[in-house]
Amino acid sequence: MNKLKQAARKINWKIANLAFWAELLIAYLMPLARENAAGQAGFPLPFLTVYENHLGPNLFSSVHVSAGALLADVIALYFLLLGCQALYKWLRHSLKKLSSQKQNDPMSTQKES
């Protein structure tokens, strides 16, 4: 149980939440991929299937949600967002370091004769 708590502390929950909602938004905005008599949505794995010829009395009887594929999509998007965040921090740090080196460089502050 202690290892589970340590793993939960290492997860960036803001990015995980963003990944989940972004995945749902992507699935909502993407057009359905047609396979036989069903449309599928989700990226990179389709997790939502809407059946056209098996329409029931309500929406839930004609829709299938694959929780495993949804979880895999969210995990993939989570790591993609973590990578983007790390790249942004690295670029920001590099640019700050470069600008501070230019300000401290004696050759750049001398007047040209």
Side-chain angles (χ1 to χ4, degrees):
M1 190 67 172
N2 193 18
K3 289 184 180 182
L4 185 62
K5 287 182 182 179
Q6 288 176 349
R9 285 188 199 128
K10 290 182 181 181
I11 295 173
N12 188 337
W13 291 105
K14 288 182 181 179
I15 292 181
N17 189 24
L18 177 65
F20 177 76
W21 287 108
E23 180 62 35
L24 292 180
L25 184 65
I26 289 169
Y28 180 74
L29 295 177
M30 282 182 61
L32 293 176
R34 301 280 181 182
E35 278 194 25
N36 299 331
Q40 294 183 333
F43 181 79
L45 300 172
F47 65 89
L48 178 68
T49 305
V50 180
Y51 298 103
E52 294 176 7
N53 59 1
H54 179 63
L55 295 176
N58 59 21
L59 176 68
F60 299 112
S61 63
S62 61
V63 173
H64 172 72
V65 177
S66 173
L70 176 60
L71 183 62
D73 287 349
V74 169
I75 289 171
L77 193 56
Y78 172 78
F79 283 117
L80 179 71
L81 290 173
L82 274 181
C84 290
Q85 182 187 33
L87 179 65
Y88 172 75
K89 285 181 179 180
W90 179 78
L91 284 173
R92 191 175 68 181
H93 176 71
S94 298
L95 290 175
K96 281 184 181 180
K97 192 174 182 180
L98 185 64
S99 66
S100 68
Q101 285 177 353
K102 280 188 176 181
Q103 290 175 353
N104 295 335
D105 187 15
M107 296 300 287
S108 64
T109 57
Q110 289 180 355
K111 295 182 180 178
E112 294 182 12
S113 333

